[in-house]
Amino acid sequence: MIDQIKQAVSECYEGQRLHFYILVLAILVVVGVRLNLGPQTMDDAFITFRYALNAASGEGLVYNAGEWVLGTTTPLYASMLAAFQMAGGDITWTSLILNALFDATSICLIYALTLRITGSGILSITTAVSLAASWMVLWISVGGMESSFFMMLSLITILSVSSDRRYLTGILCGFLTLVRPEGSLMISTVCLIRLIETRRLPYREIVGYAIVLLPWIAYAYGIYGSPVPHSVQAKAVLGNKPALHGIKRILGFLGQTTWPFISVHASRALQYAFSILTVVTMAAALIRGRHDRLTATFWGFPLVFVSAYAAGSSGGEVWYAIPLVPFAILASLLAIFSVANRLQSQKPKLAKYACVVFAILTVGSVATRDSAIDLAGREGVFLKMANVIAPRIAAGDTVMCPEIGVLGYYLPDAYIYDTQGLVSPNAIPYQTGAGQFNGSIPENLINEVRPHFIAGLEVFIRETPSKPWFKAAYT
C-alpha cells in the first residue's frame, strides 16, 4: 500500500513541476480547512465511535457491553479508531485527522490515475483540484464517516491493478470490504475483468481476498453469529421503498456530489440529467478502454457500484456516494472536454479553459453552499438531550431512541435500545407492522420494554405521550 502511495506522489512530481506545486497547495488547504473546522461528527459516525470506545475499553467490538450484535458496517475503521483510543487519542479528532490524510492521499492518487489513463495533464490536475474542493467530501470527512478511507483505498486498489501484483490487489479488496461492504464490488469488478481478459479464473486475486476476509468471517460467525452486520438487515427492512427508488436516489446523490452548480435544493430533473450524463460518459470511457486492464477497472468499478445501488430499493445515504466522487468528477470533465474539443477549431484551447472554469466553480461552490457544513444540526439537539439525561441516569439504565449515535456516545454507561433495530434485533418485528411510520418509536415496543428514558424528535413519537398508560408510567 505504501509503495502505491509513493508511486502516486512520484508521478505527481515527475509530470509537471507546476502541477506538483498546485497539488501540494491543494493538500495543505484540504488538511488545513478540516483542522480549522474541527470535528463536526454526524450521528451515524458516533455509532462507530461507540463501538471503538467499547473495543478500546476491553468490552469488545460491541455497542452495548455484553451484547454481541454486529451493528457497524466498518469493522476495520472502528478497530483502527479503537487502537488510537487505546494509545490515548481523542476519537473524534483521530477520525478527523485520519480522514484529512485519507483525502490528501486521494488527491495524489486521482492525479496519478488520471494521468495514466488519459495522458492529459490538464485533466489530471483539474480532477485533483476539483476533488480537493468537493464540498460534499469535506462535509462527510469532518463528519467522521469512513467514506474518505474507502475512497482512498479504492484508488490504491485500482492503482495496484496496473502493477500486476495480483495477490496484493486481492488483499486490498479484502481490506476494502472490511471498511465497507461495497468493497465486495471491487473484487467482483477486478475478477470479472481478469476473467474476460484471460478466460481463466483469477485465483490469485481470490486467494489474496480470502487471506484477509476469511479470518474475519470465522471470527464474526463465532462471536456475532453472522459476518453480515445486523444494521444491513435492519436497513433492508426499514429502507424498503418502491421500485426505481434506489436508482433515483443514487443518481440524485451523484449530481449533488459532482457538479459544482447543483445543490441539494436543485430540481430532481437537473440532478438526474447531469448524473445520467456522468454515468453515460463512464460507460463510453469503459467501452473505449476495455482492452486496457487499468482503464477497464477504473471505469468498471463505479459503474458496478451505481448498478448495485440502482438494483436495490433504498439507495442508501449521501455518504454512500462519496467513493464515486473522483470517478464522477473525471467523467464530468471528460464530457466537457469532449464537447469543447468538437469546437476546438473555432475556439482554440477551449477544452482547457472549460476544465479550468469547472475547477474554479467547484472551488467557489464550497464558500457559497448554504448546506455544506451544519455546525449545529440535529446532532446538537441530540447532544442537548444527552446533557439533560446524563445527571439523571444510573449505569445500566435503558434509553430508548430511534437515532442512537450522539445519545449512545455521550451516555456511555447507558443501555441503548435502538428502535430501528440497527443494534437491537428485537425491535425489527415492531417496525414491520402495517402502516408503521418508518423510523418512529412503536407504541407497543415502549409498553413492552418500559425503558427508563425515551429520547427522540417529536415526529418519531407522535401521539404516544397522550395515551393514558404512557402518562401513568412516565409522568
Side-chain angles (χ1 to χ4, degrees), residues 211-464:
I211 287 173
V212 174
L213 213 58
L214 285 181
W216 166 254
I217 291 175
Y219 173 81
Y221 262 119
I223 297 297
Y224 303 107
S226 172
V228 179
H230 189 78
S231 54
V232 173
Q233 304 172 41
K235 289 176 181 178
V237 174
L238 298 175
N240 190 28
K241 303 291 183 181
L244 301 181
H245 178 82
I247 190 168
K248 289 178 181 178
R249 197 162 173 83
I250 195 65
L251 286 178
F253 292 154
L254 201 57
Q256 296 167 21
T257 56
T258 306
W259 294 87
F261 47 83
I262 298 180
S263 74
V264 292
H265 305 299
S267 69
R268 285 291 184 182
L270 186 63
Q271 293 179 14
Y272 295 156
F274 281 95
S275 297
I276 291 171
L277 174 62
T278 301
V279 172
V280 169
T281 304
M282 287 180 183
L286 173 61
I287 293 171
R288 285 197 302 269
R290 64 187 180 279
H291 299 300
D292 177 72
R293 190 183 310 132
L294 175 63
T295 304
T297 306
F298 184 90
W299 294 117
F301 172 64
L303 287 170
V304 170
F305 195 108
V306 170
S307 299
Y309 272 99
S313 59
S314 70
E317 301 294 342
V318 67
W319 51 84
Y320 295 4
I322 294 300
L324 295 174
V325 172
F327 307 98
I329 288 174
L330 179 54
S332 304
L333 286 167
L334 284 174
I336 294 171
F337 213 72
S338 176
V339 172
N341 273 333
R342 292 180 181 275
L343 305 173
Q344 191 82 348
S345 58
Q346 302 168 3
K347 301 282 187 180
K349 298 184 179 180
L350 180 60
K352 292 184 178 181
Y353 293 149
C355 290
V356 171
V357 169
F358 183 94
I360 291 173
L361 287 173
T362 303
V363 173
S365 69
V366 176
T368 59
R369 294 278 180 172
D370 59 347
S371 56
I373 303 293
D374 188 347
L375 300 178
R378 46 198 303 140
E379 283 76 13
V381 176
F382 297 139
L383 179 56
K384 290 179 181 178
M385 293 182 190
N387 290 335
V388 170
I389 295 172
R392 299 169 171 81
I393 196 170
D397 280 357
T398 299
V399 178
M400 178 177 283
C401 46
E403 295 176 273
I404 63 174
V406 175
L407 290 162
Y409 182 80
Y410 286 102
L411 299 172
D413 296 326
Y415 177 88
I416 303 296
Y417 196 104
D418 172 25
T419 62
Q420 296 201 56
L422 304 182
V423 299
S424 302
N426 293 337
I428 293 295
Y430 293 90
Q431 288 287 3
T432 58
Q436 178 63 54
F437 174 75
N438 187 359
S440 66
I441 303 178
E443 179 183 329
N444 51 348
L445 180 60
I446 299 174
N447 198 11
E448 180 175 317
V449 176
R450 294 295 176 105
H452 298 88
F453 298 89
I454 303 170
L457 301 179
E458 184 179 1
V459 67
F460 292 135
I461 300 178
R462 291 196 161 186
E463 300 176 358
T464 301

Side-chain angles (χ1 to χ4, degrees), residues 36-78:
N36 180 61
L37 283 171
Q40 307 294 331
T41 311
M42 306 172 72
D43 193 72
D44 280 56
F46 277 119
I47 298 175
T48 300
F49 290 2
R50 175 154 163 153
Y51 269 93
L53 287 176
N54 281 333
S57 64
E59 296 290 349
L61 199 61
V62 296
Y63 193 81
N64 288 309
E67 191 172 69
W68 292 91
V69 177
L70 181 61
T72 176
T73 54
T74 181
L76 181 58
Y77 191 54

Side-chain angles (χ1 to χ4, degrees), residues 31-300:
V31 175
V33 167
R34 283 153 175 75
L35 294 179
N36 180 61
L37 283 171
Q40 307 294 331
T41 311
M42 306 172 72
D43 193 72
D44 280 56
F46 277 119
I47 298 175
T48 300
F49 290 2
R50 175 154 163 153
Y51 269 93
L53 287 176
N54 281 333
S57 64
E59 296 290 349
L61 199 61
V62 296
Y63 193 81
N64 288 309
E67 191 172 69
W68 292 91
V69 177
L70 181 61
T72 176
T73 54
T74 181
L76 181 58
Y77 191 54
S79 299
M80 184 184 300
L81 294 175
F84 280 99
Q85 179 70 18
M86 292 174 68
D90 177 85
I91 203 164
T92 57
W93 274 98
T94 297
S95 173
L96 176 74
I97 293 169
L98 286 174
N99 283 350
L101 295 175
F102 294 152
D103 291 338
T105 304
S106 293
I107 293 168
C108 294
L109 291 166
I110 194 60
Y111 177 89
L113 283 166
T114 304
L115 195 59
R116 283 192 178 197
I117 291 170
T118 68
S120 170
I122 186 65
L123 275 176
S124 302
I125 193 63
T126 306
T127 302
V129 169
S130 297
L131 177 61
S134 170
W135 73 279
M136 191 68 82
V137 172
L138 170 62
W139 176 34
I140 302 302
S141 182
V142 299
M145 300 301 293
E146 70 277 4
S147 306
S148 293
F149 191 15
F150 188 90
M151 179 172 66
M152 180 198 72
L153 205 51
S154 297
L155 297 174
I156 292 176
T157 304
I158 293 171
L159 193 59
S160 74
V161 170
S162 65
S163 64
D164 205 34
R165 299 170 71 175
R166 298 174 59 186
Y167 287 113
L168 175 62
T169 299
I171 289 171
L172 289 170
C173 287
F175 286 127
L176 194 61
T177 304
L178 294 180
V179 177
R180 278 209 59 83
E182 292 89 339
S184 60
L185 302 176
M186 179 66 81
I187 189 65
S188 301
T189 303
V190 168
C191 289
L192 179 60
I193 290 171
R194 177 72 69 169
L195 182 63
I196 292 173
E197 180 185 10
T198 64
R199 307 295 180 183
R200 295 178 181 178
L201 187 69
Y203 70 91
R204 294 180 186 175
E205 288 86 350
I206 294 173
V207 169
Y209 188 65
I211 287 173
V212 174
L213 213 58
L214 285 181
W216 166 254
I217 291 175
Y219 173 81
Y221 262 119
I223 297 297
Y224 303 107
S226 172
V228 179
H230 189 78
S231 54
V232 173
Q233 304 172 41
K235 289 176 181 178
V237 174
L238 298 175
N240 190 28
K241 303 291 183 181
L244 301 181
H245 178 82
I247 190 168
K248 289 178 181 178
R249 197 162 173 83
I250 195 65
L251 286 178
F253 292 154
L254 201 57
Q256 296 167 21
T257 56
T258 306
W259 294 87
F261 47 83
I262 298 180
S263 74
V264 292
H265 305 299
S267 69
R268 285 291 184 182
L270 186 63
Q271 293 179 14
Y272 295 156
F274 281 95
S275 297
I276 291 171
L277 174 62
T278 301
V279 172
V280 169
T281 304
M282 287 180 183
L286 173 61
I287 293 171
R288 285 197 302 269
R290 64 187 180 279
H291 299 300
D292 177 72
R293 190 183 310 132
L294 175 63
T295 304
T297 306
F298 184 90
W299 294 117

